[in-house]
Amino acid sequence: MEITRVGIIGSGIMGSGIAEVAAASGYEVTLRSRAQESADAMKTGVEKSLNRQVEKEKRTAGEAEEILARISTTTKLGDLADCDLIIESIVEDLDTKLALLAELNGIVSASTIVASNTSTLPVAKLAAAMSHPENVCGIHFFNPAPAMPLVEVIRPLTVSDETFNAAMAFATSCGKDAVEVQDHAGFIVNALLFPYLNNAIRMMENGTATKEGIDTAMKGGCGFPMGPFALLDLVGLDTSLAILDTLFASFGDANYEAMPLLRQMVAEGKLGRKTKIGFYDYAK
Ligand code: 3HC
């Protein structure tokens, strides 16, 4: 299974990060978003990220230009028909993903690999929406995708060895550490990370320390690059809530039961960096 063309669906921070990673690794990338403005905004996001790397002398301006030229944008799902691998990175909602995959099913060939960047949803359920579930697996990047070395490659029971191995090889070719994971909710990282993030909110609410104090403590005490509140804001509070809800529904463990404050902030539209306000204020 040779992969040369990669389609990416979804206009969020993950979609543009994955597009950058794939294009920088030599793949031809087609980015699909429902609205042309968001597809263009994603490409502008990649351009900014590449320009930062040029300023930091990590890449030449010529390399950045070549990478950007490998990315095209579209609003039409049909434009992904000639992709060898399609990665969906849309909102973390099972019904929305199933509807997209049902639509995609009418477009892809019998050999197209379809991967989900889902954080927690069962990949086998997503595979069931396709006529060729053996071509479906999870390829889970971390935020920010260009900077984080890990990719979890999820192996649902339905996937063929050929597809799974091609997905592992793709992640490795992107310069990432590819780790095989079974199709269990939250895979490795989110299943371990989210009880910690949720309990940080509980600790602040209990009055043990302020959010700034907790963030400083976890950076200085554990060597983490960011504290839990800064990380919640980076991941997005809506995504974090969706992840916790799926984990709680799967495991029924109280550590996964989203703190009411998180739910309230999401209802108020305080989603973290992307809305310029979350636990911290990014508007200034
Ligand atoms: N896009 C591209 N590259 C970026 C970037 C971005 N948005 N942000 C940072 N980088 C790169 C920088 O270019 C730099 O690369 P270099 O060392 O080659 O120059 C490197 O990352 C370090 O960046 P900075 O020096 O500017 O900043 P920091 O040292 O503060 O690092 C960070 C920023 C990489 C975000 C770091 O704070 C970090 O690792 N934080 C933890 C992030 C994390 O845990 N992510 C996982 C979240 S969970 C998840 O994604 C799962 C999902 O399912 C929810």
Side-chain angles (χ1 to χ4, degrees):
M1 277 188 175
E2 210 202 319
I3 297 172
T4 51
R5 302 192 74 85
V6 178
I8 292 165
I9 308 173
S11 57
I13 181 92
M14 292 310 294
S16 64
I18 299 167
E20 179 184 329
V21 170
S25 309
Y27 295 99
E28 293 296 327
V29 175
T30 307
L31 262 175
R32 187 267 184 177
S33 178
R34 284 169 303 175
Q36 190 59 46
E37 304 91 73
S38 25
D40 292 342
M42 281 169 84
K43 197 166 170 182
T44 309
V46 174
E47 191 174 6
K48 273 191 196 148
S49 173
L50 290 169
N51 286 344
R52 267 200 310 270
Q53 292 162 35
V54 172
E55 277 161 30
K56 282 184 160 183
E57 296 182 356
K58 303 269 175 199
R59 294 190 192 282
T60 66
E63 279 166 4
E65 223 170 273
E66 277 171 28
I67 294 168
L68 207 60
R70 279 199 282 274
I71 302 177
S72 58
T73 59
T74 184
T75 55
K76 299 188 195 81
L77 214 47
D79 287 347
L80 303 185
D82 63 347
C83 290
D84 311 296
L85 164 67
I86 297 175
I87 305 175
E88 76 73 21
S89 183
I90 66 164
V91 65
E92 193 66 1
D93 175 73
L94 184 61
D95 289 339
T96 314
K97 286 194 193 284
L98 288 175
L100 170 79
L101 291 170
E103 206 185 327
L104 199 58
N105 196 38
I107 289 154
V108 295
S109 78
S111 63
T112 314
I113 300 175
V114 177
S116 175
N117 183 53
T118 180
S119 312
T120 36
L121 295 170
V123 179
K125 265 198 192 162
L126 301 176
M130 308 292 291
S131 305
H132 290 282
E134 72 278 11
N135 295 347
V136 181
C137 68
I139 300 185
H140 183 212
F141 284 82
F142 290 79
N143 186 2
M148 302 305 284
L150 179 67
V151 171
E152 291 177 327
V153 184
I154 293 99
R155 192 195 267 274
L157 290 174
T158 40
V159 76
S160 69
D161 287 346
E162 200 186 8
T163 298
F164 182 79
N165 293 339
M168 287 289 282
F170 167 75
T172 306
S173 75
C174 290
K176 302 296 184 188
D177 300 327
V179 175
E180 173 178 349
V181 198
Q182 300 306 308
D183 191 17
H184 298 172
F187 316 123
I188 299 171
V189 173
N190 286 338
L192 292 174
L193 175 65
F194 275 84
Y196 153 69
L197 296 178
N198 200 33
N199 278 309
I201 305 174
R202 194 190 316 274
M203 179 178 269
M204 176 182 72
E205 295 236 282
N206 284 345
T208 305
T210 61
K211 59 180 185 292
E212 291 85 359
I214 296 170
D215 273 357
T216 301
M218 295 313 291
K219 282 197 289 179
C222 293
F224 291 172
M226 295 174 127
F229 294 97
L231 186 53
L232 281 159
D233 280 352
L234 175 77
V235 169
L237 303 196
D238 51 343
T239 302
S240 299
L241 179 60
I243 290 171
L244 281 165
D245 282 346
T246 306
L247 287 167
F248 186 62
S250 302
F251 299 119
D253 182 314
N255 287 300
Y256 293 124
E257 191 170 11
M259 289 298 293
L261 176 62
L262 180 64
R263 207 172 287 285
Q264 186 189 327
M265 288 174 75
V266 171
E268 288 170 356
K270 295 176 181 163
L271 307 184
R273 286 193 191 201
K274 62 184 156 189
T275 55
K276 304 243 183 290
I277 178 113
F279 285 101
Y280 294 103
D281 187 349
Y282 302 89
K284 296 166 203 154

